Amino acid sequence: MRNLYKLGLDVGSTTVKIVVMDEFDSIIYSRYQRHLSDIKQTIVELISEMRTDFEDDEFTVLVTGSGGLSVVKWLKLPFIQEVVAATNAVKKLIPNTAVAIELGGEDAKITFFEGTLEQRMNGTCAGGTGAFIDQMAALLQTDAQGLNELAKDYKAIYPIAARCGVFAKTDIQPLVNEGARREDIAASIFQSVVNQTISGLACGKPIKGNVAFLGGPLFFLSELRARFIDTLKLKAEDIMFPANSQLFVALGAAYASESENKVSFKQLYKRAANLETKIDHEVNVLKPLFIDDEARESFKARHEKNKVKRFELKDYSGKCFLGIDAGSTTTKAALIGDKGELLYSYYGSNRGNPLQSAITILKDIYDALPHNVSIAKSAVTGYGEALIKTALGVDIGEIETIAHYKAAKTFLPGVDFILDIGGQDMKCIKIKDGIIENIMLNEACSSGCGSFIESFANSLNMSVEDFAAVGIKSKSPVDLGSRCTVFMNSKVKQSQKEGASVADISAGLSYSVIKNALFKVIKIRNPKELGEKIIVQGGTFYNDTVLRSFELISEREVVRPDIAGLMGAYGAALIAQDGYEIDFQSTLLKQTELNALKIELSMTRCKKCSNHCLLTINKFSDGNRFISGNRCEKGFDDNIKREEMPNLYQYKYDKMFGYEPLSEENAIRGSIGIPRVLNIYENYVFWFHFFTK
């Protein structure tokens, strides 16, 4: 017997949801699956899975979701707007709802049901959504569910921006580098999502009454719901968390489909099977990175020439020098001999704990050191410089730019331009006559950095290496521009809907990284502005697609050292070597001291001004301590006595209005009144002298 069912298909920015309901509106089949940016293949798989249960049946179908418009053309099915679909489900299943909060992969919505129906959605920013949570979880070397587990054991909440992933990373990375508890950071990330949703969407309108929590993130992440409940001060009877809340939009589409024309499963299956042939063309494509395989092999051969001199540590004897680069997402180390030869190197993720990463590296070095080799001097650079210098007794702390320049000129004497792209930062260093002339940094955007590519690769369940290897062979790289991560993600989604391959997206992202560096950070108009002797470095340039994109866009052949990602650490080691004197005694912890090192983490509020900064205090077993989280120097040490600062505003007021006006007999042209307001106030000194002289 042929049955008639209602089917809702919700194609979101990160997931595909399917709901099938019978004539009594009972759910008899449902699926919730991440599409990993391959919408077509995911739909084909999900519909194929239904074949066993529904091959001889018919459906009324409605498609919804941010990715649904192209799907309705491919499958020849009707469409319903997702807000309308969700509202239908709410009114049918939880009619007492006053406010519905729905979070998706890249969208966020608040719907007010009392009085006039009012719906508010995020516009151009995906901060405070599931994709934002995924990106922040990657910083802590976990996924969204891992973040949820960490947040269950939080003790403190730090202020973290959620308007954009870039600003959030700026807040989170110092916390990570300075030793804040991962549990506290996880809960703080969820709190930032709550703050963004309430402030950005509600905009002051009270969220009260029965509040429903809908969408995947709020369904799967109990601690995110807890942060909403705590912030909104909801009572148990106010909370509405319906079954299948992650499927609500698909449910609403299924309910509304009953007035649509019928389609047999066989028709649906046949249309899905032809999806591979469906191609749209709204996103432009760029020229391939290489014309042919021969050009690619020539490129690889050219860059394999730039290698550091190496020597086996086990065969070395004498003094050596250690450099550590505690970067935003990775920790690097280089141990060099007295002739600059590389004896040992390390490049790896700091997994959200740069200090522990540095300790592990140093223990590994001590285990590998021959008995006749000693570390004569050490230096550290990078984000975690201050923490690691204090904890491990490193001899020198050096600015990153100096360390990078020191390493670069050993590979390319006379280098006049260095482009360093790391995990979240980008540095462009111009050198003239051996002196650093200009330094340009990315200040408010990380879309041109390694973590941007890494996050996207992870979203596809691919390693960065595999993602790059695929991209280098792309025939039609998609043009994603050089805009911020959020807008670029929209372009990526559009290109996926049009059938772009992972290879084309990988190559397109590499082009975008370089465009961001050259046009947004350096703001070049002519490639000649880059100089003649160029070195590229940083872990991002291990990616051959990024390197090739730079050469094509800059119209330059450049030098990439084989230790591109280690240049900060290598430069720090060279600086330690240069500053070494024969009677120098290193303060670097010895192996026994390192093994005995214990770290105690605590938090307190600084009460020395009205800011009441939340301080993170790392106490080490040798008596040293490192304090972070303070906005001024007052939080560093209770024992430092400071003189009272003068009241500069009172001083300015007294100075400005302490001038003696002319006496009546000397004011032969009369008197002038000058109001003490606005710019006249600021410029009073000028006007006083102008009229009296």
Side-chain angles (χ1 to χ4, degrees), residues 162-237:
R163 176 164 173 75
C164 177
V166 175
F167 301 122
K169 286 180 181 179
T170 303
D171 287 338
I172 291 171
Q173 202 60 59
L175 295 174
V176 171
N177 291 342
E178 291 163 3
R181 295 174 73 244
R182 296 170 78 229
E183 293 83 354
D184 295 336
I185 297 174
S188 302
I189 290 168
F190 288 146
Q191 185 63 50
S192 72
V193 172
V194 173
N195 296 343
Q196 166 66 4
T197 305
I198 294 173
S199 62
L201 299 185
C203 300
K205 184 166 182 173
I207 298 176
K208 58 184 181 180
N210 294 332
V211 179
F213 295 116
L214 309 175
L218 284 167
F219 177 79
F220 292 108
L221 305 175
S222 60
E223 297 311 298
L224 178 60
R225 291 197 306 274
R227 299 311 323 137
F228 269 105
I229 292 166
D230 187 53
T231 303
L232 295 171
K233 296 179 171 57
L234 298 178
K235 299 176 182 176
E237 59 268 23

Side-chain angles (χ1 to χ4, degrees), residues 180-356:
R181 295 174 73 244
R182 296 170 78 229
E183 293 83 354
D184 295 336
I185 297 174
S188 302
I189 290 168
F190 288 146
Q191 185 63 50
S192 72
V193 172
V194 173
N195 296 343
Q196 166 66 4
T197 305
I198 294 173
S199 62
L201 299 185
C203 300
K205 184 166 182 173
I207 298 176
K208 58 184 181 180
N210 294 332
V211 179
F213 295 116
L214 309 175
L218 284 167
F219 177 79
F220 292 108
L221 305 175
S222 60
E223 297 311 298
L224 178 60
R225 291 197 306 274
R227 299 311 323 137
F228 269 105
I229 292 166
D230 187 53
T231 303
L232 295 171
K233 296 179 171 57
L234 298 178
K235 299 176 182 176
E237 59 268 23
D238 300 329
I239 302 165
M240 307 195 76
F241 183 50
N244 300 304
S245 62
Q246 81 281 22
L247 302 171
F248 246 57
V249 177
L251 275 168
Y255 283 126
S257 74
E258 58 188 355
S259 60
E260 300 296 329
N261 294 328
K262 294 183 290 185
V263 58
S264 71
F265 179 80
K266 289 179 180 178
Q267 289 176 299
L268 190 61
Y269 181 79
K270 185 176 179 181
R271 293 173 193 175
N274 293 327
L275 274 183
E276 294 298 326
T277 63
K278 307 293 184 182
I279 300 176
D280 296 327
H281 295 288
E282 292 180 22
V283 177
N284 295 327
V285 297
L286 303 165
K287 68 178 182 179
L289 298 177
F290 297 100
I291 300 172
D292 51 33
D293 292 344
E294 184 179 346
R296 183 165 60 249
E297 292 306 316
S298 174
F299 163 84
K300 288 185 176 180
R302 172 161 53 87
H303 284 289
E304 284 176 0
K305 297 176 182 177
N306 306 305
K307 294 185 176 182
V308 70
K309 184 169 63 175
R310 298 173 186 268
F311 196 87
E312 288 291 334
L313 178 57
K314 61 183 176 61
D315 298 327
Y316 183 79
S317 62
K319 298 187 182 303
C320 58
F321 305 89
L322 175 65
I324 299 173
D325 180 4
S328 55
T329 58
T330 55
T331 303
K332 287 81 69 177
L335 190 70
I336 65 172
D338 54 11
K339 295 183 176 62
E341 64 272 44
L342 189 63
L343 306 173
Y344 169 96
S345 65
Y346 178 90
Y347 180 102
S349 170
N350 60 30
R351 300 190 178 277
N353 194 331
L355 176 55
Q356 188 56 52

Side-chain angles (χ1 to χ4, degrees), residues 29 42-52 265 269 272-273:
Y29 183 90
T42 304
I43 291 175
V44 171
E45 290 174 1
L46 290 177
I47 292 178
S48 297
E49 285 178 14
M50 296 172 61
R51 191 172 185 177
T52 305
F265 179 80
Y269 181 79

Side-chain angles (χ1 to χ4, degrees), residues 65 356 419 634 686:
Q356 188 56 52
L419 176 60
K634 290 180 182 178
F686 166 77

